[in-house]
Amino acid sequence: GSSVAMSYLLSRTLTTKQDVDEIIRDTEDRIVVLRFGKASDPVCMQLDDILSKAEREVSRMAIIATIEASLMPIYVKYFDITLIPATLFFFNQQHMKADYGTPDNTKWIGAFAIKQDFIDLVEVIYRGALRGKFIVQSPIEPSRVPKYQLIYKDI
């Protein structure tokens, strides 16, 4: 349907808990980027558009998968996802964090303003991970980090 017009560009959509478990467990030496959201949500469409455009450029460092948050209540609860879209990063089964200058360093909330911000972030997380760092400083200009208050809670 038209509601997934943006998401179809991304090659991986995970629909079961097992899918999520496997991609986190079985991906070696690349960042796993998990986008939890709602394909029909305008902010999510914006994010998916950026992720799909960046997918090839980051393919040596990362694999990207999208998850319909409503299908994955167990992980929504586990990762404390109260705002969508939320993008989480993993490396060799380790949850990677980044200081975005927001209260939450466990996930990116909202869309990226520009494709390059996402690419830069993946690169910084990847380089950090290779050096054994599980938290990195986000390279994204603070003015382009979405402010929580502007994003409504709706999962």
Side-chain angles (χ1 to χ4, degrees), residues 13-36:
T13 303
L14 309 180
T15 54
T16 67
K17 179 180 181 292
Q18 190 182 349
D19 288 343
V20 179
D21 291 342
E22 281 174 9
I23 201 169
I24 292 173
R25 189 189 64 222
D26 300 340
T27 305
E28 289 185 2
D29 302 330
R30 278 200 295 173
I31 302 290
V32 176
V33 180
L34 298 183
R35 186 282 276 149
F36 285 82

mmCIF file of all heavy atoms in Angstrom, residues 13-36:
data_model
loop_
_atom_site.group_PDB
_atom_site.id
_atom_site.type_symbol
_atom_site.label_atom_id
_atom_site.label_comp_id
_atom_site.label_asym_id
_atom_site.label_seq_id
_atom_site.Cartn_x
_atom_site.Cartn_y
_atom_site.Cartn_z
ATOM 1 N N THR A 13 13.208 -5.359 6.434
ATOM 2 C CA THR A 13 12.156 -5.054 7.398
ATOM 3 C C THR A 13 12.037 -6.272 8.300
ATOM 4 O O THR A 13 11.889 -7.388 7.814
ATOM 5 C CB THR A 13 10.811 -4.789 6.692
ATOM 6 O OG1 THR A 13 11.006 -3.718 5.765
ATOM 7 C CG2 THR A 13 9.738 -4.396 7.686
ATOM 8 N N LEU A 14 12.132 -6.057 9.596
ATOM 9 C CA LEU A 14 12.073 -7.167 10.547
ATOM 10 C C LEU A 14 10.678 -7.205 11.156
ATOM 11 O O LEU A 14 10.150 -6.188 11.578
ATOM 12 C CB LEU A 14 13.120 -6.982 11.649
ATOM 13 C CG LEU A 14 14.552 -6.709 11.157
ATOM 14 C CD1 LEU A 14 15.494 -6.543 12.336
ATOM 15 C CD2 LEU A 14 15.050 -7.811 10.239
ATOM 16 N N THR A 15 10.076 -8.404 11.182
ATOM 17 C CA THR A 15 8.691 -8.488 11.637
ATOM 18 C C THR A 15 8.507 -9.350 12.882
ATOM 19 O O THR A 15 7.427 -9.368 13.466
ATOM 20 C CB THR A 15 7.782 -9.039 10.521
ATOM 21 O OG1 THR A 15 8.322 -10.284 10.079
ATOM 22 C CG2 THR A 15 7.704 -8.065 9.351
ATOM 23 N N THR A 16 9.543 -10.087 13.282
ATOM 24 C CA THR A 16 9.403 -10.921 14.482
ATOM 25 C C THR A 16 10.553 -10.653 15.447
ATOM 26 O O THR A 16 11.613 -10.149 15.054
ATOM 27 C CB THR A 16 9.432 -12.431 14.127
ATOM 28 O OG1 THR A 16 10.757 -12.756 13.654
ATOM 29 C CG2 THR A 16 8.409 -12.783 13.063
ATOM 30 N N LYS A 17 10.327 -11.021 16.701
ATOM 31 C CA LYS A 17 11.369 -10.871 17.709
ATOM 32 C C LYS A 17 12.604 -11.686 17.293
ATOM 33 O O LYS A 17 13.736 -11.248 17.479
ATOM 34 C CB LYS A 17 10.866 -11.340 19.081
ATOM 35 C CG LYS A 17 11.932 -11.225 20.171
ATOM 36 C CD LYS A 17 11.427 -11.685 21.520
ATOM 37 C CE LYS A 17 12.510 -11.533 22.570
ATOM 38 N NZ LYS A 17 13.649 -12.448 22.379
ATOM 39 N N GLN A 18 12.361 -12.850 16.712
ATOM 40 C CA GLN A 18 13.467 -13.699 16.269
ATOM 41 C C GLN A 18 14.324 -12.997 15.213
ATOM 42 O O GLN A 18 15.551 -13.088 15.237
ATOM 43 C CB GLN A 18 12.916 -15.016 15.716
ATOM 44 C CG GLN A 18 14.005 -16.054 15.460
ATOM 45 C CD GLN A 18 13.445 -17.351 14.862
ATOM 46 O OE1 GLN A 18 12.221 -17.551 14.827
ATOM 47 N NE2 GLN A 18 14.327 -18.218 14.405
ATOM 48 N N ASP A 19 13.669 -12.277 14.290
ATOM 49 C CA ASP A 19 14.406 -11.501 13.272
ATOM 50 C C ASP A 19 15.362 -10.526 13.943
ATOM 51 O O ASP A 19 16.513 -10.379 13.540
ATOM 52 C CB ASP A 19 13.443 -10.662 12.413
ATOM 53 C CG ASP A 19 12.614 -11.487 11.442
ATOM 54 O OD1 ASP A 19 12.978 -12.658 11.179
ATOM 55 O OD2 ASP A 19 11.606 -10.966 10.944
ATOM 56 N N VAL A 20 14.841 -9.834 14.954
ATOM 57 C CA VAL A 20 15.639 -8.818 15.650
ATOM 58 C C VAL A 20 16.785 -9.485 16.410
ATOM 59 O O VAL A 20 17.942 -9.062 16.315
ATOM 60 C CB VAL A 20 14.765 -7.968 16.605
ATOM 61 C CG1 VAL A 20 15.613 -6.936 17.337
ATOM 62 C CG2 VAL A 20 13.646 -7.278 15.829
ATOM 63 N N ASP A 21 16.460 -10.546 17.146
ATOM 64 C CA ASP A 21 17.492 -11.282 17.886
ATOM 65 C C ASP A 21 18.613 -11.722 16.949
ATOM 66 O O ASP A 21 19.792 -11.573 17.267
ATOM 67 C CB ASP A 21 16.893 -12.543 18.541
ATOM 68 C CG ASP A 21 15.928 -12.213 19.668
ATOM 69 O OD1 ASP A 21 15.959 -11.074 20.170
ATOM 70 O OD2 ASP A 21 15.134 -13.101 20.038
ATOM 71 N N GLU A 22 18.235 -12.265 15.793
ATOM 72 C CA GLU A 22 19.222 -12.811 14.861
ATOM 73 C C GLU A 22 20.113 -11.743 14.251
ATOM 74 O O GLU A 22 21.327 -11.932 14.144
ATOM 75 C CB GLU A 22 18.533 -13.615 13.752
ATOM 76 C CG GLU A 22 18.129 -15.006 14.216
ATOM 77 C CD GLU A 22 17.314 -15.776 13.179
ATOM 78 O OE1 GLU A 22 17.194 -15.295 12.025
ATOM 79 O OE2 GLU A 22 16.804 -16.859 13.533
ATOM 80 N N ILE A 23 19.533 -10.626 13.853
ATOM 81 C CA ILE A 23 20.360 -9.597 13.208
ATOM 82 C C ILE A 23 21.360 -9.019 14.210
ATOM 83 O O ILE A 23 22.517 -8.754 13.871
ATOM 84 C CB ILE A 23 19.499 -8.503 12.522
ATOM 85 C CG1 ILE A 23 20.327 -7.773 11.457
ATOM 86 C CG2 ILE A 23 18.894 -7.542 13.526
ATOM 87 C CD1 ILE A 23 19.490 -6.858 10.553
ATOM 88 N N ILE A 24 20.936 -8.871 15.473
ATOM 89 C CA ILE A 24 21.851 -8.358 16.505
ATOM 90 C C ILE A 24 22.947 -9.392 16.794
ATOM 91 O O ILE A 24 24.116 -9.054 16.905
ATOM 92 C CB ILE A 24 21.083 -7.989 17.802
ATOM 93 C CG1 ILE A 24 20.182 -6.766 17.555
ATOM 94 C CG2 ILE A 24 22.058 -7.700 18.951
ATOM 95 C CD1 ILE A 24 19.257 -6.427 18.718
ATOM 96 N N ARG A 25 22.536 -10.654 16.875
ATOM 97 C CA ARG A 25 23.472 -11.721 17.241
ATOM 98 C C ARG A 25 24.427 -12.104 16.112
ATOM 99 O O ARG A 25 25.607 -12.394 16.350
ATOM 100 C CB ARG A 25 22.667 -12.961 17.669
ATOM 101 C CG ARG A 25 23.518 -14.069 18.290
ATOM 102 C CD ARG A 25 22.690 -15.324 18.486
ATOM 103 N NE ARG A 25 22.243 -15.860 17.194
ATOM 104 C CZ ARG A 25 21.017 -16.336 16.975
ATOM 105 N NH1 ARG A 25 20.108 -16.363 17.937
ATOM 106 N NH2 ARG A 25 20.694 -16.808 15.772
ATOM 107 N N ASP A 26 23.920 -12.115 14.875
ATOM 108 C CA ASP A 26 24.686 -12.702 13.773
ATOM 109 C C ASP A 26 25.483 -11.710 12.932
ATOM 110 O O ASP A 26 26.238 -12.113 12.064
ATOM 111 C CB ASP A 26 23.766 -13.506 12.846
ATOM 112 C CG ASP A 26 23.071 -14.656 13.592
ATOM 113 O OD1 ASP A 26 23.569 -15.047 14.675
ATOM 114 O OD2 ASP A 26 22.041 -15.143 13.102
ATOM 115 N N THR A 27 25.301 -10.419 13.165
ATOM 116 C CA THR A 27 26.039 -9.432 12.372
ATOM 117 C C THR A 27 27.385 -9.171 13.033
ATOM 118 O O THR A 27 27.438 -8.736 14.184
ATOM 119 C CB THR A 27 25.250 -8.106 12.259
ATOM 120 O OG1 THR A 27 23.962 -8.396 11.729
ATOM 121 C CG2 THR A 27 25.975 -7.120 11.349
ATOM 122 N N GLU A 28 28.456 -9.452 12.319
ATOM 123 C CA GLU A 28 29.792 -9.278 12.887
ATOM 124 C C GLU A 28 30.526 -8.116 12.248
ATOM 125 O O GLU A 28 30.528 -7.967 11.024
ATOM 126 C CB GLU A 28 30.605 -10.566 12.710
ATOM 127 C CG GLU A 28 30.102 -11.686 13.609
ATOM 128 C CD GLU A 28 30.983 -12.934 13.526
ATOM 129 O OE1 GLU A 28 32.005 -12.909 12.800
ATOM 130 O OE2 GLU A 28 30.635 -13.927 14.185
ATOM 131 N N ASP A 29 31.161 -7.315 13.106
ATOM 132 C CA ASP A 29 32.041 -6.227 12.667
ATOM 133 C C ASP A 29 31.386 -5.180 11.783
ATOM 134 O O ASP A 29 32.044 -4.496 11.014
ATOM 135 C CB ASP A 29 33.298 -6.806 11.982
ATOM 136 C CG ASP A 29 34.050 -7.733 12.931
ATOM 137 O OD1 ASP A 29 33.991 -7.494 14.156
ATOM 138 O OD2 ASP A 29 34.668 -8.693 12.471
ATOM 139 N N ARG A 30 30.063 -5.082 11.887
ATOM 140 C CA ARG A 30 29.337 -3.981 11.247
ATOM 141 C C ARG A 30 28.304 -3.470 12.237
ATOM 142 O O ARG A 30 27.810 -4.221 13.071
ATOM 143 C CB ARG A 30 28.636 -4.446 9.963
ATOM 144 C CG ARG A 30 29.566 -4.480 8.769
ATOM 145 C CD ARG A 30 28.800 -4.448 7.450
ATOM 146 N NE ARG A 30 27.973 -5.638 7.251
ATOM 147 C CZ ARG A 30 27.109 -5.769 6.242
ATOM 148 N NH1 ARG A 30 26.946 -4.816 5.367
ATOM 149 N NH2 ARG A 30 26.402 -6.872 6.117
ATOM 150 N N ILE A 31 27.986 -2.192 12.114
ATOM 151 C CA ILE A 31 26.957 -1.613 12.960
ATOM 152 C C ILE A 31 25.591 -2.106 12.483
ATOM 153 O O ILE A 31 25.329 -2.130 11.287
ATOM 154 C CB ILE A 31 26.996 -0.063 12.876
ATOM 155 C CG1 ILE A 31 28.365 0.486 13.287
ATOM 156 C CG2 ILE A 31 25.863 0.567 13.692
ATOM 157 C CD1 ILE A 31 28.707 0.368 14.738
ATOM 158 N N VAL A 32 24.751 -2.505 13.428
ATOM 159 C CA VAL A 32 23.364 -2.824 13.108
ATOM 160 C C VAL A 32 22.542 -1.593 13.480
ATOM 161 O O VAL A 32 22.581 -1.141 14.623
ATOM 162 C CB VAL A 32 22.854 -4.049 13.897
ATOM 163 C CG1 VAL A 32 21.377 -4.289 13.624
ATOM 164 C CG2 VAL A 32 23.673 -5.289 13.549
ATOM 165 N N VAL A 33 21.862 -1.036 12.493
ATOM 166 C CA VAL A 33 21.024 0.147 12.699
ATOM 167 C C VAL A 33 19.574 -0.315 12.688
ATOM 168 O O VAL A 33 19.105 -0.839 11.684
ATOM 169 C CB VAL A 33 21.247 1.182 11.565
ATOM 170 C CG1 VAL A 33 20.367 2.423 11.784
ATOM 171 C CG2 VAL A 33 22.721 1.565 11.445
ATOM 172 N N LEU A 34 18.888 -0.168 13.820
ATOM 173 C CA LEU A 34 17.493 -0.593 13.907
ATOM 174 C C LEU A 34 16.588 0.620 14.049
ATOM 175 O O LEU A 34 16.702 1.373 15.019
ATOM 176 C CB LEU A 34 17.272 -1.522 15.116
ATOM 177 C CG LEU A 34 18.038 -2.845 15.128
ATOM 178 C CD1 LEU A 34 17.645 -3.654 16.355
ATOM 179 C CD2 LEU A 34 17.799 -3.642 13.853
ATOM 180 N N ARG A 35 15.707 0.793 13.082
ATOM 181 C CA ARG A 35 14.752 1.906 13.127
ATOM 182 C C ARG A 35 13.401 1.368 13.591
ATOM 183 O O ARG A 35 12.752 0.591 12.915
ATOM 184 C CB ARG A 35 14.642 2.558 11.739
ATOM 185 C CG ARG A 35 13.773 3.812 11.716
ATOM 186 C CD ARG A 35 12.276 3.510 11.723
ATOM 187 N NE ARG A 35 11.701 3.221 10.437
ATOM 188 C CZ ARG A 35 10.661 2.401 10.253
ATOM 189 N NH1 ARG A 35 10.085 1.771 11.264
ATOM 190 N NH2 ARG A 35 10.191 2.192 9.048
ATOM 191 N N PHE A 36 12.990 1.775 14.819
ATOM 192 C CA PHE A 36 11.670 1.436 15.342
ATOM 193 C C PHE A 36 10.732 2.592 15.018
ATOM 194 O O PHE A 36 11.037 3.740 15.362
ATOM 195 C CB PHE A 36 11.711 1.265 16.861
ATOM 196 C CG PHE A 36 12.349 -0.010 17.322
ATOM 197 C CD1 PHE A 36 13.732 -0.111 17.418
ATOM 198 C CD2 PHE A 36 11.573 -1.114 17.663
ATOM 199 C CE1 PHE A 36 14.337 -1.291 17.846
ATOM 200 C CE2 PHE A 36 12.179 -2.300 18.092
ATOM 201 C CZ PHE A 36 13.562 -2.382 18.182
#
